[in-house]
Amino acid sequence: MCNGNPYLPYTATIVETWYETGGERPVKTFKVTLDDAAARESWSHRPGQCAMVGLLGVGESMFCISCSPTEGDFLRFSVMRAGKVTSALHQLEAGDKITVRGPYGNSFPLEEWEGKRILTVGGGIGQAPLRPIVEFVRANRDKYAGLTVIYGARSCGDLCFKGELEALAKEGDIECHLSVDVGEEGWPHYVGFVPSLLMEVNPSPENTIAVTCGPPIMIRFVLENLKKLGFADEQIYTTLENRMKCGLGKCGRCNAGHLYVCKDGPVFSYAVLKDVPEAFA
Amino acid sequence: MGAISALLLTKEKWPEFLGKISGKQLFAPKRQGDRVYLAPLKEGELPDFDFQNTLVPPKALVFPQTETLYRYRLGETEMKEPAIEGEAVLLGVRPCDGRAMQLVERLFCWDVDDPYYLKRRALVTVVGLACSEPGLNCFCSSVGGGPASTEGLDLLMTDLGESFLLEPLTDKGRALLAEAGELLAEAPPEAVAQKEQIAAEAAARIKRSVDTAGIPEGLPRLWNDPLWQRHAAACLGCGTCTYLCPTCHCFDIQDEAEGTEARRLRVWDSCMFEEYTRHASGHNPRPTRRERTRNRISHKYSYYVQKFGIIACVGCGRCVNLCPVNIDLVEILRQVKEAL
Ligand SMILES: Cc1cc2nc3c(=O)[nH]c(=O)nc-3n(C[C@H](O)[C@H](O)[C@H](O)COP(=O)(O)OP(=O)(O)OC[C@H]3O[C@@H](n4cnc5c(N)ncnc54)[C@H](O)[C@@H]3O)c2cc1C
Ligand code: SF4
Ligand code: SF4
Ligand code: FES
């Protein structure tokens, strides 16, 4: 928060950018640092939190912070080109300035999960909020019983963090299962939808926490399948991405029923969400 | 200052009283055609108290329809916050609208303070005007208010015919009266009794009512009830019911530039608009007017209650009076009650 005004953002400089995916709606990752030394000092975020990223003259949009604080003193955003702000962001390169305010929302209760196996189930750009969990658990590997990553996208070219995940798969210590909806020449992994891959992998619910994020339709089927596999509601978490403008519980638009996703969320356990009628609308 | 309970101002002294209010901009009800607005009162002008309520609620003066968050020049990164200054007196605010300001403040203070709202709120002195003739669709007494309720007001005025009864409620209200001390007389008990009677008679003339018992807890159970489709079928999605509602507070944040001078601003928004909740993917969790109408009413009568412990509707009747297709909140609530 600048000058005690929560609407006033910090300025930040892009240090590196790269494309995660191509196609009609490419995803570009931005690695940024806050310009002000005091701001860098006071900033702290946790996996699952998000931030409002803006471009002066264009506007602001909410993104999850797609890196874990264990990775270093920078922020990462992985941005899919969707409309006005995201298209303008995609024009930017290293050295360009953006605005950042946050971090907003609650976070994954990673301390509570210590001693357990963590299973992430992601689809498309939905891997962005899950990536910090993967990185956090890797950095604290001895505190967790294991890590399984299930991730899929429409096609090979739509997979975010692909190189990184393939390297993880080779590491062996971490289970990583990738999929694409439509098969293509040379694709060595699963072909089909993420919820089916989940059934194929058939993870045991024993001492496991499952976290899922992706398109609403995928989330719905993943939840159904997790229940089939025997996961209890309390073992399942998801993060919601309702449209947001303030991140501060004021602008009113992010609500799912009585919950303000920007403040009460974006991370929720299914035990809470299953009774919120609008949560999976 | 001692405990001043009630003072009397005879109507001949009213213009002089207004002249004593110094250093603060005066806003008061003024007629334009068949509508009344809270507008700046020029020197020598008198407020028009012959109205039921202003078209635009006084929220517009503490939560402007468009408000600059900060200014900047294109290509530069320095952001300048606007100075929020200048005290104002809002004269002739109806008690329901005063309550609405108090009620919305809970949200603007929730966890993180909203500096814009709170600064503007601190700069205004709210002078209420008790109702003697409720409007056609008023139902304040069903939702915790009344024709002479004082929540959110600094001073309550009641028209006693030949004079005004002035009841200061806060330090701001007392300070305002102190400026015109010599024009005021202590109110005799009969004057206070007369005010009570006016308020009681007005309350008795309120025609519409809602029995809210059970509604906040019950609304989520009616999620799939056909009543939402029935009521939303005619809705045009124009947003009038929310823009002009004194408790609606939703906004959008946008950037705007003219030449190289630019600003980031916030502007009223409405949950009755399709784009309000639409995700960038095109997915919309509230795809039709049915879901949006259900949200508008659930927000006021259930979600706000769960979050802030109070119904976010003050029964001013604007949404009923002004809806171009006569969608009637009171009737919807009656049917909600019936369906529970
Ligand atoms: C908590 C949270 C976390 C998020 N995390 C991420 C993340 O990590 N990565 C990510 O990429 N996104 C994320 N999002 C989504 C992101 O905020 C939106 O994609 C972004 O705000 C879109 O902004 P925009 O200005 O580019 O789109 P807008 O211009 O606002 O577009 C919005 C709508 O307009 C439509 N539209 C845009 N242009 C056109 C056009 N030319 N014609 C017709 N319709 C059009 C779009 O389809 C969309 O429905 C997150 C959202 C939330 C709330
Ligand atoms: S919902 Fe309707 S009656 Fe209630 S405060 Fe808003 S405009 Fe007035
Ligand atoms: S005023 Fe009436 S028509 Fe307009 S959005 Fe509200 S309910 Fe719909
Ligand atoms: S984003 Fe504004 S209230 Fe949640």
Side-chain angles (χ1 to χ4, degrees), chain A residues 56-57, chain B residues 70-74 78 255 260-264:
Chain A
L56 287 174
Chain B
Y70 42 90
R71 295 184 180 280
Y72 56 87
R73 312 189 97 204
L74 288 181
E78 193 193 348
D255 285 40
T260 56
E261 297 299 321
R263 60 175 179 157
R264 197 161 275 169

Side-chain angles (χ1 to χ4, degrees), chain B:
Chain B
M1 229 175 292
I4 323 169
S5 49
L7 294 159
L8 212 56
L9 174 72
T10 59
K11 284 196 177 166
E12 303 105 71
K13 293 186 184 151
W14 175 230
E16 202 181 334
F17 176 88
L18 293 173
K20 296 271 182 197
I21 299 173
S22 61
K24 297 184 176 77
Q25 194 177 7
L26 257 178
F27 289 85
K30 281 168 63 170
R31 187 165 291 277
Q32 279 174 39
D34 56 358
R35 304 282 197 198
V36 173
Y37 297 85
L38 264 192
L41 200 65
K42 293 191 205 82
E43 219 177 299
E45 254 183 329
L46 287 179
D48 183 343
F49 280 171
D50 182 21
F51 73 111
Q52 263 145 355
N53 212 344
T54 53
L55 177 69
V56 182
K59 78 167 178 185
L61 294 166
V62 284
F63 175 54
Q65 182 161 4
T66 302
E67 166 149 50
T68 301
L69 296 174
Y70 42 90
R71 295 184 180 280
Y72 56 87
R73 312 189 97 204
L74 288 181
E76 295 175 17
T77 55
E78 193 193 348
M79 290 164 258
K80 285 204 188 101
E81 292 171 81
I84 295 176
E85 51 201 13
E87 290 181 85
V89 175
L90 315 187
L91 208 64
V93 168
R94 290 300 185 189
C96 56
D97 289 342
R99 276 197 77 218
M101 281 195 255
Q102 176 113 330
L103 224 141
V104 178
E105 204 167 311
R106 297 188 190 206
L107 171 113
F108 282 117
C109 293
W110 176 36
D111 198 34
V112 181
D113 281 353
D114 187 289
Y116 301 88
Y117 186 85
L118 296 178
K119 273 185 206 159
R120 286 191 195 281
R121 183 71 182 84
L123 285 167
V124 297
T125 301
V126 184
V127 179
L129 179 64
C131 296
S132 53
E133 193 52 63
L136 208 56
N137 288 304
C138 289
F139 60 103
C140 58
S141 44
S142 296
V143 283
S149 85
T150 56
E151 268 177 277
L153 305 178
D154 295 301
L155 176 69
L156 177 67
M157 295 179 63
T158 308
D159 189 338
L160 300 182
E162 301 299 311
S163 55
F164 289 116
L165 184 77
L166 306 177
E167 295 170 275
L169 303 156
T170 65
D171 285 345
K172 277 190 201 166
R174 281 183 279 276
L176 196 73
L177 292 188
E179 294 191 50
E182 75 274 14
L183 302 176
L184 307 168
E186 202 171 318
E190 304 85 73
V192 178
Q194 196 189 343
K195 172 229 155 178
E196 301 294 341
Q197 197 190 341
I198 288 171
E201 282 172 8
R205 278 199 295 275
I206 293 175
K207 289 180 200 68
R208 306 209 67 187
S209 68
V210 177
D211 174 9
T212 61
I215 289 184
E217 313 78 56
L219 266 176
R221 288 204 303 277
L222 300 183
W223 197 251
N224 292 313
D225 197 279
L227 78 90
W228 301 117
Q229 184 53 42
R230 221 162 47 232
H231 288 285
C235 173
L236 309 170
C238 68
T240 302
C241 53
T242 49
Y243 267 42
L244 297 178
C245 168
T247 66
C248 277
H249 57 264
C250 289
F251 58 85
D252 190 5
I253 296 180
Q254 297 172 2
D255 285 40
E256 188 185 84
E258 242 190 86
T260 56
E261 297 299 321
R263 60 175 179 157
R264 197 161 275 169
L265 53 86
R266 71 171 169 199
V267 50
W268 290 356
D269 203 348
S270 168
C271 63
M272 299 305 279
F273 295 156
E274 200 268 325
E275 316 85 75
Y276 181 75
T277 46
R278 188 176 61 200
H279 293 192
S281 62
H283 173 77
N284 195 338
R286 286 184 212 129
T288 74
R289 288 176 192 143
R290 166 180 171 269
E291 292 82 37
R292 301 197 274 273
T293 300
R294 182 176 64 194
N295 179 72
R296 171 168 77 93
I297 291 160
S298 299
H299 179 245
K300 294 188 182 300
Y301 277 85
S302 178
Y303 307 155
Y304 208 84
V305 184
Q306 288 182 66
K307 207 93 236 159
F308 302 109
I310 191 162
I311 290 174
C313 165
V314 293
C316 73
R318 282 187 184 85
C319 59
V320 186
N321 291 329
L322 301 167
C323 173
V325 293
N326 300 318
I327 290 175
D328 182 338
L329 174 66
V330 178
E331 175 57 17
I332 297 178
L333 290 167
R334 193 189 63 75
Q335 294 186 19
V336 162
K337 187 82 190 177
E338 217 171 61
L340 282 177

Side-chain angles (χ1 to χ4, degrees), chain A residues 172-188:
Chain A
D173 185 36
I174 284 164
E175 253 189 69
C176 184
H177 305 272
L178 300 179
S179 73
V180 292
D181 296 352
V182 202
E184 48 199 284
E185 185 91 22
W187 173 252

Side-chain angles (χ1 to χ4, degrees), chain A residues 28-50:
Chain A
K28 191 172 181 177
T29 293
F30 299 85
K31 185 173 165 181
V32 311
T33 52
L34 302 180
D35 290 339
D36 183 52
R40 276 199 303 277
E41 191 65 29
S42 65
W43 180 281
S44 81
H45 73 269
R46 290 177 44 84
Q49 286 193 295
C50 42

